[in-house]
Amino acid sequence: MRTNADITLYNKYFDKVDRTDSYKKTILYGVFWQESKGSNVIKSGLTNADSLTVFIPHKDHIDTYQEPKVFATNQSGWTLQEGDIVVRGAIEEEFTTVADLEKKYDHVHMITSVDNMNFGSPHMRHWEVGGK
């Protein structure tokens, strides 16, 4: 699989101690990032039509991946689920709100779909992540 980017993934989880939603940051190196910017014109005005597809190869990242329900219990490793935030590039800092992250970086997206393409040869297996 060809790769063209590194990403920073912010996994959302419920912090039982603080009783708030929190994010765990993970940097994934060597993914394929495909982004489209656009807008639609509808009766009530313009709407955002931006879209994102990220391909994450299993061979480089499967060893630290956790299924979403397992991640929710212990926040070890990383996971992929709707509502998580993905940013193009290796971002070293934490953030307080998604709006703060969007003000500072251009390529910030919320994950809307995750497909596990776990078939074919080991070099072809990957996650396909969609976002807006």
Side-chain angles (χ1 to χ4, degrees), residues 3-130:
T3 62
N4 65 356
D6 301 326
I7 61 170
T8 304
L9 177 66
Y10 292 95
N11 291 124
K12 187 176 184 178
Y13 68 93
F14 184 72
D15 188 336
K16 294 175 185 171
V17 175
D18 295 337
R19 306 209 38 86
T20 60
D21 286 333
S22 297
Y23 290 89
K24 180 182 181 208
K25 178 183 73 169
T26 304
I27 298 174
L28 300 176
Y29 298 97
V31 304
F32 186 81
W33 178 281
Q34 181 177 323
E35 183 176 13
S36 173
K37 295 273 188 187
S39 60
N40 290 330
V41 179
I42 59 174
K43 252 184 176 178
S44 59
L46 289 175
T47 61
N48 185 346
D50 295 351
S51 68
L52 171 73
T53 306
V54 178
F55 300 92
I56 305 171
H58 279 200
K59 68 182 179 72
D60 299 328
H61 304 290
I62 193 80
D63 55 338
T64 55
Y65 176 78
Q66 299 289 324
E67 291 292 332
K69 288 182 182 176
V70 174
F71 180 83
T73 61
N74 60 18
Q75 291 81 48
S76 68
W78 60 279
T79 193
L80 293 167
Q81 56 191 344
E82 292 179 19
D84 288 346
I85 305 297
V86 64
V87 183
R88 185 174 184 153
I91 310 300
E92 294 299 329
E93 63 196 72
E94 301 296 332
F95 70 96
T96 53
T97 67
V98 176
D100 292 341
L101 201 59
E102 289 174 332
K103 285 179 192 173
K104 190 164 186 177
Y105 299 100
D106 291 324
H107 306 281
V108 178
H109 296 272
M110 181 177 289
I111 293 176
T112 58
S113 66
V114 177
D115 292 317
N116 188 358
M117 304 301 187
N118 191 15
F119 51 84
S121 72
H123 291 287
M124 293 298 295
R125 296 175 187 166
H126 64 280
W127 290 278
E128 188 173 321
V129 179

